[in-house]
Amino acid sequence: MRRILTIKPYLLLITALVMLFSSCEQKELCFNHDEHAPKSDVMVQVQYEREWQYPYEGGTDWLNYPDFGQVFGVDYEALRPNIPEGLAIQIYNSAGKYDEIHIAPLGQKVRMPIGVHSILFYNDDSEYIVFDGMQSYVKARATTRTRTRASYMGNPFMETKSEVTVNPPDMLYGNYMESYEVQRTIEPTLLPVTMHPLVYTYLVRYEFSHGAEYIALARGAMAGMAGSVYLHNGSTSDDAVTVLFDATVKDFGAQATVRSFGVPGFPNTHYSKTGKSGLYGLNLEVRLKNGKTKSFDFDITGQVAAQPQGGVIVVKGLEITDEEGKGGGSGFDVDVSGWGDEEEIDLPM
């Protein structure tokens, strides 16, 4: 009797897989398949430059400003941004392909393809940041989500009142390595990385000469700010936007901490001050305790031009008359529900 040998289909599949993996191992290099490309361990160690502003010529060095906390009611150190909750690594090879790795904020051991690469680092824990052009490190940039406010009609001190209105961006750090070679090693190679701020903070103060006691709610807008920042060099785009923000009522008027990418067309020397000259405007809208609203607009070009990457903006001499504050209202405190709707649009600009 002739015996017939039967081979199960799954045995054929297992045999084929064994041959495939052994083939890649024997060749050492298997560049036709990215997932099989040889890799090596790299120990990424991260530290953060937790600066909320950088002083420039013509501006004030707020870090060494006498009695900063007493003057402005907030400690300088309290304005420093926190370390993020996560970090992304974007690895670009010479063929134009890229890999994305997510690691702990202070770093960890990762496996990177052997060879020379360009690498972007940025934190990935943001809510309002929108990343665009990530397929190319030259085009990779961060913007923030648009936001509308029906009562805001633009700033009369600006050349145009039709700027896109946006949310303040979340804190963003970045670093870029144009050329980093990953070599085949037995022990992990140490890669130290310093993350630089790409978003800055403006401490905005509205100081009233009369009538601050009538204010129930306050909010504002900064016009002429940069619409986006490029991740590979930290420079800002030329387009200008208006950042909408909420303010806190104080006994002197109102105050806010406002994050932005800084001024348009500005190179980031930390990542030559030759930034694009422009106009900058500030708005304050207050809701009084009697239900009335009042709006103020200011030209802050001089203050912002001297502080292109964060600082302190102060406007003084604002006034609400007793007639405005007492008359024609309901006499009860206005809460947030009566402050009007703000529409947040989850679309990049």
Side-chain angles (χ1 to χ4, degrees), residues 237-297:
S237 59
D238 288 339
D239 59 310
V241 299
T242 296
V243 180
L244 302 180
F245 57 89
D246 297 318
T248 302
V249 176
K250 300 287 187 177
D251 57 358
F252 59 81
Q255 183 165 290
T257 52
V258 185
R259 284 180 174 166
S260 84
F261 299 120
V263 302
F266 195 84
N268 188 329
T269 58
H270 300 276
Y271 192 37
S272 124
K273 180 182 176 182
T274 57
K276 170 184 161 186
S277 60
L279 300 175
Y280 309 99
L282 184 68
N283 168 266
L284 172 67
E285 183 182 358
V286 295
R287 191 73 176 263
L288 306 184
K289 294 176 181 178
N290 61 16
K292 292 182 178 180
T293 61
K294 186 172 183 177
S295 185
F296 304 84
D297 291 291

Side-chain angles (χ1 to χ4, degrees), residues 208 210-219 249 253 284-296 319-336 338-339:
F208 279 70
H210 185 81
E213 67 274 16
Y214 299 124
I215 302 173
L217 299 168
R219 58 190 182 188
V249 176
L284 172 67
E285 183 182 358
V286 295
R287 191 73 176 263
L288 306 184
K289 294 176 181 178
N290 61 16
K292 292 182 178 180
T293 61
K294 186 172 183 177
S295 185
F296 304 84
E319 182 177 336
I320 298 171
T321 66
D322 293 334
E323 182 181 3
E324 292 171 324
K326 294 180 179 179
S330 59
F332 60 86
D333 288 350
V334 180
D335 60 20
V336 176
W339 192 218

Side-chain angles (χ1 to χ4, degrees), residues 47 111 134 156 159 174 180 204 234 286 294 319 328:
Q47 61 180 356
R111 292 188 63 78
M134 300 303 292
E159 291 180 348
Y180 179 76
V204 180
V286 295
K294 186 172 183 177
E319 182 177 336

